[in-house]
Amino acid sequence: MTYLELFERVAEHVRRQGVKVRFERGEPLTPVAIELERAQAFIPFPPSLLDLYAEIGSGMEFAWSSKDNDRLFANHEIPRIEECAPKSFDNVSWLPEWQDDNEFPHVKDPALAKKTALKMRAWLRFISIGNGDSFCLDTSRDPSPVLFNKHDWFDGGTGENGHQIADSLWDFYSQWAQVCFQFPRSLWWPVVFNKTGVGIDWASEEFQEPFRLPTVERSGTA
């Protein structure tokens, strides 16, 4: 199954529940356009993300909301490819992980926070999930796993950040599709993190029926 087939499968299931789905895609991208964005990126595009853009076009919005419950909804947007990756240091210099003189005084373990910051320099934010939090791809690894980026990780806490959501981009989307791209009912993603510290508990009651589907296999290269 391709990404587009996966999104269409979810959209069809949601519509069968009597819920309207907004599924909009940007214009198709040529290989030349994709290569240009890859070449200009300051934080590199992982191949898996470029494969996704090759399928969906320049960007995508997938959203629905159940009238029966105002906490039951999906609101997923993939930014336009030219807006996804920063193109220079100036675009990221304001972030705490890029500030070499940051001593991280507000965490329990500043030394750990410095190590976290260095790792985060390879993270490409590709989905904003509200409140400043985001899902990121760790471009230092192949395939790039999907990580949860807590926007205020440096303001209290241990100095750690980056709960691993999925081993790859396809794993992430195929798993999230099981709940039709719902957000947790509480709107707080850490509440559904697996107790083992890896992945998300997609069986959690935070994700509700009848918006559930079985997992599917990827066609071709993920």
Side-chain angles (χ1 to χ4, degrees):
M1 179 173 285
T2 65
Y3 284 110
L4 285 179
E5 290 170 340
L6 180 65
F7 296 134
E8 289 288 3
R9 184 170 183 262
V10 172
E12 181 182 355
H13 178 77
V14 174
R15 289 175 183 129
R16 284 201 297 267
Q17 315 312 314
V19 176
K20 184 178 180 180
V21 178
R22 184 168 69 254
F23 181 21
E24 300 177 355
R25 297 163 50 204
E27 65 274 11
L29 292 169
T30 66
V32 172
I34 292 174
E35 173 58 24
L36 178 62
E37 293 298 330
R38 186 203 64 77
Q40 293 178 339
F42 178 70
I43 298 175
F45 275 102
S48 58
L49 187 56
L50 293 179
D51 288 343
L52 175 61
Y53 275 112
E55 279 197 40
I56 66 169
S58 61
M60 188 193 79
E61 183 178 7
F62 190 104
W64 57 265
S65 179
S66 172
K67 295 179 180 179
D68 298 331
N69 189 330
D70 62 1
R71 290 287 189 181
L72 196 57
F73 72 97
N75 184 20
H76 173 40
E77 183 176 355
I78 298 175
R80 293 182 62 85
I81 189 171
E82 64 269 21
E83 299 170 354
C84 184
K87 291 181 168 59
S88 72
F89 175 74
D90 289 342
N91 298 139
V92 298
S93 60
W94 61 277
L95 294 168
E97 61 264 30
W98 287 95
Q99 297 166 3
D100 290 334
D101 60 350
N102 195 329
E103 297 297 331
F104 298 101
H106 304 298
V107 300
K108 294 179 180 178
D109 189 341
L112 174 60
K114 282 184 173 290
K115 292 179 180 178
T116 298
L118 290 175
K119 291 190 296 185
M120 289 180 66
R121 294 183 181 187
W123 295 5
L124 179 62
R125 294 166 172 79
F126 77 104
I127 299 178
S128 175
I129 50 179
N131 194 35
D133 296 335
S134 58
F135 289 136
C136 300
L137 287 162
D138 183 357
T139 67
S140 70
R141 297 158 65 183
D142 186 19
S144 296
V146 177
L147 310 176
F148 176 81
N149 174 35
K150 189 172 182 287
H151 74 284
D152 58 352
W153 67 274
F154 54 90
D155 187 15
T158 63
E160 290 184 304
N161 190 28
H163 175 85
Q164 183 164 323
I165 302 299
D167 292 338
S168 70
L169 190 60
W170 174 257
D171 287 345
F172 168 69
Y173 274 113
S174 62
Q175 291 165 15
W176 198 8
Q178 295 177 66
V179 296
C180 298
F181 306 126
Q182 288 182 61
F183 275 48
R185 181 169 52 181
S186 65
L187 304 181
W188 177 232
W189 282 94
V191 77
V192 294
F193 289 172
N194 278 337
K195 303 301 182 184
T196 61
V198 176
I200 282 178
D201 177 15
W202 297 109
S204 168
E205 292 182 355
E206 289 281 319
F207 306 110
Q208 300 176 64
E209 300 283 358
F211 301 98
R212 288 187 176 273
L213 288 167
T215 57
V216 294
E217 297 298 324
R218 170 70 164 150
S219 298
T221 302

